Structures are given as structure tokens and as C-alpha cells.
Amino acid sequence: MLGVIGGSGFYSFFGPDARSVNLDTPYGAPSAAITVGTVGTHEVAFLPRHGVDHEFSPHTVPYRANMWALRALGVRRVFGPCAVGSLTPDLGPGAMVVPDQLVDRTSGRKDTYFDSGGIHVGFADPYCPTLRAAVTDLPGVVDGGTMVVIQGPRFSTRAESRWFASQGFTLVNMTGHPEAVLARELEMCYAAIALVTDLDAGIETGAGVTAVDVFAEFQRNLVPFKQLVHEAIDQVADERTCTHCLPHAGVTLPIELP
């Protein structure tokens, strides 16, 4: 089973024949019930990251519960569509990007399942190369980029935005961490698929980023963005062969994974 964790405005993925699954976890309830349906030859589980009615802000999303619930359901490979701001004029609104690096600038989020036991997960390359290739092989997709994840829910100041850009970061987002590292701890393949909704505050002059504009841009591109995710799922092999996302070989874990 594949998983899709939808971002802002990405609330539905299947037709009326899909089924809904409610799960609880040791970390509380996930953002919403998980919808299970089919895309091509794959059974796919969809979870709205922010809840059905967008009730969870980026810093309050129950990330640990979300990832745990997907794994408990049988998911081992996850696509994470998300909205991002661009830190370069080369990537304007509507661009679809598959980042290959992540920088964490969040604070206070529960970002591990291993509070004991001295478990250290390799994360040099945070995204699954096999899942990334399933998307980057599609036409019109930008391959690569560094996504800096900020705490939110506020947008960046102009100075922060210029600082991020000066470091070579290309995208800014509020939900990519800890989602990606929790997937790695659970030995789940994970790849982000980013839709650019705006140029960040320091990249151009003007009023800066507004939530209204971000949501409107996401809605304008929602149909082709969903189509891209569907096409990426079609590119994924039926059998999982990736070993990059299996960091616990030879390690005794302090908890049992679902």
C-alpha cells in the first residue's frame, strides 16, 4: 500500500467508492480518518495533513500519529505533496519541484519515536531516491532543491527570506519536518512533491506573502497537481526494492514498530 499525505487544499483524492479507516495510535489520533482507494494498480491510503477542515496549523499537526497510523495500516512508501514558497525567481508560482534536501528551522515539535535507547537515524539524504525518481521522470517537474522548513504559522520576514536564499535554499515550507524524519525512523520511503504558491517575502518587493494569495494559487493549480501525484503513483513499482530507507539493520530498537 502507498500513502499520500495531502497538503493545503489537498483534501480529497479518490472517488465515492473509497473506504474510510479510523485508527488510534500511541501518539494520539491522526489528523483525520484515512481514506483508502485505488490508483491504477496500487492501493493508496490518503491522509489530509491539516485535517478535513484545515483545523491543524503546521506547528500543531500530529505528525507522529499520522506516520504511525499509515505504517500500522500497511503503508511503506509515502508521497508528501505540499505547498511551498520559492526563494528564487527561477521558480515562480505553479512550478512543481521534487526537493532532494531539507533544512530544519522548526522548534519544539515532537520529531522522534526514540526518546530512549540511543537510536541515531542516518538522514544525510532525507528523501527516498526511488520515489523521487518516480516523480522526476515526469515532464515539467523540477528535479532537486533544498527545502527549508520554518516553524510557522507566520510567514518569513524579508530578512529571513533573504538569509535563506543566501544559503542556497530554494524552497520554504512549514510541514516538511518532522514528517520526513519520522518516515525514516519508521523505515518508510518518503518523497516530498512541492507546488510553488508564491515568491517568498525577500525575493521581490511588494506587500509580502498573504495566506489568501497562497490558498488561491494552490486552488488554481490543484487539478494538475493532483494529476501529477496520480501519475507518480503509476510510476511506482508494485514491489518495494529500496534499501536506502531501512536505517535499522542490525539495531535493536527500544520500541516495536507497527
Side-chain angles (χ1 to χ4, degrees):
M1 186 184 295
L2 301 183
V4 174
I5 303 179
S8 303
F10 212 91
Y11 299 125
S12 62
F13 203 65
F14 306 110
D17 56 336
R19 59 188 173 94
S20 182
V21 179
N22 287 287
L23 291 175
D24 200 6
T25 80
Y27 308 95
S31 297
I34 299 172
T35 304
V36 179
T38 56
V39 175
T41 61
H42 291 287
E43 188 175 31
V44 178
F46 171 73
L47 178 60
R49 183 183 290 116
H50 295 282
V52 175
D53 298 314
H54 206 104
E55 58 267 40
F56 294 103
S57 291
H59 65 298
T60 64
V61 170
Y63 294 101
R64 292 197 297 179
N66 286 351
M67 304 310 293
W68 190 275
L70 287 173
R71 180 176 167 101
L73 196 58
V75 170
R76 296 296 183 271
R77 294 175 289 181
V78 179
F79 284 118
C82 58
V84 300
S86 171
L87 293 166
T88 170
D90 295 338
L91 296 174
M96 299 184 194
V97 187
V98 182
D100 60 353
Q101 278 296 320
L102 177 153
V103 173
D104 173 29
R105 292 288 301 168
T106 66
S107 62
R109 299 186 182 186
K110 300 289 188 181
D111 60 358
T112 183
Y113 295 105
F114 303 121
D115 293 322
S116 64
I119 305 300
H120 306 281
V121 172
F123 203 52
D125 296 298
Y127 301 113
C128 172
T130 304
L131 284 188
R132 287 192 70 257
V135 194
T136 58
D137 285 345
L138 298 173
V141 176
V142 178
D143 181 1
T146 297
M147 184 167 74
V148 57
V149 185
I150 61 175
Q151 175 69 359
R154 70 169 178 86
F155 294 117
S156 303
T157 66
R158 294 189 195 278
E160 289 169 334
S161 181
R162 292 171 185 142
W163 175 41
F164 296 151
S166 73
Q167 301 304 303
F169 310 155
T170 49
L171 306 169
V172 59
N173 166 264
M174 297 181 187
T175 58
H177 181 89
E179 200 167 271
V181 71
L182 293 174
R184 183 64 53 85
E185 287 193 345
L186 292 175
E187 295 195 323
M188 298 163 70
C189 294
Y190 178 93
I193 309 174
L195 171 65
V196 175
T197 58
D198 59 274
L199 292 177
D200 210 44
I203 308 306
E204 63 177 359
T205 59
V209 182
T210 68
V212 170
D213 291 342
V214 167
F215 285 124
E217 185 63 30
F218 199 100
Q219 286 299 321
R220 276 193 290 272
N221 290 281
L222 189 55
V223 171
F225 195 38
K226 282 186 178 181
Q227 182 61 35
L228 175 68
V229 178
H230 273 262
E231 291 173 359
I233 290 171
D234 287 337
Q235 297 292 314
V236 176
D238 289 339
E239 296 297 325
R240 182 190 187 192
T241 58
C242 172
T243 58
H244 176 85
C245 303
L246 303 175
H248 302 314
V251 176
T252 300
L253 300 179
I255 61 173
E256 183 177 349
L257 302 184

